[in-house]
């Protein structure tokens, strides 16, 4: 049965990490302990080792992309498995496939600034350390 590979928390309190490099290509067989990808955080470069054997069926996050810890980054197929509904697998897990990275000629979309909230009146709770 196909399983999602998730971005691991490679350093304490890290909220994001990036795929530096995929060591395995789609369709290649993975054995327990094989390096699947190199994960980069602000402080470290760590190898993501396979916890079970199978075939790397689909890469969901391209090398160089940063995603939240716990986000799906790939799909591991069981040996002999090929027709997997990846969208259904992601929906079952409550996740969405990462949007493709912007093309080199395109500028990344920057969200519009959020309007400031009106000031609330009343007591402000603060300590001298604040």
């Amino acid at each position: 049965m196909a399983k999602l590979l998730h971005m691991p928390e490679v350093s304490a309190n890290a909220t994001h990490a990036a795929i530096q490099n995929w060591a395995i290509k789609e369709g290649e067989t993975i054995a327990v302990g094989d390096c699947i990808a190199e994960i980069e955080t602000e402080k470290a470069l760590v190898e993501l080792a396979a916890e079970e054997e199978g075939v790397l069926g689909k890469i969901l996050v391209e090398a160089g992309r940063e995603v939240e810890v716990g986000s799906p980054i790939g799909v591991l197929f069981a040996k002999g498995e090929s027709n997997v509904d990846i969208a259904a697998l992601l929906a079952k897990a409550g996740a969405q496939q990462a949007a493709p990275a912007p093309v080199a000629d395109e500028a990344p979309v920057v969200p519009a600034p959020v309007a400031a909230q009106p000031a609330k009146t009343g007591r402000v709770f603060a300590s001298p350390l604040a």
Side-chain angles (χ1 to χ4, degrees):
M1 175 177 226
K3 296 184 179 188
L4 291 174
L5 299 172
H6 296 275
M7 177 63 78
E9 182 179 8
V10 293
S11 65
N13 299 324
T15 58
H16 291 78
I19 301 288
Q20 177 69 26
N21 173 23
W22 284 97
I24 305 288
K25 294 182 178 134
E26 287 183 4
E28 290 185 352
T29 302
I30 301 169
V32 175
D34 284 353
C35 174
I36 300 172
E38 294 177 333
I39 310 295
E40 181 179 24
T41 66
E42 293 176 2
K43 299 179 182 180
L45 182 65
V46 180
E47 290 184 350
L48 173 62
E51 295 179 3
E52 54 189 276
E53 62 181 31
V55 175
L56 183 58
K58 179 74 175 161
I59 293 174
L60 301 175
V61 177
E62 295 299 319
R65 293 266 332 258
E66 184 175 279
V67 296
E68 288 185 35
V69 169
S71 297
I73 59 172
V75 181
L76 181 67
F77 291 177
K79 288 188 177 181
E81 196 172 30
S82 60
N83 293 332
V84 176
D85 186 355
I86 295 171
L89 189 62
L90 289 167
K92 183 178 177 183
Q96 294 179 347
Q97 186 168 349
V103 179
D105 294 343
E106 294 179 13
V109 177
V110 178
V114 178
Q117 296 292 328
K120 294 182 180 180
T121 58
R123 186 171 176 195
V124 176
F125 294 94
S127 72
L129 295 175

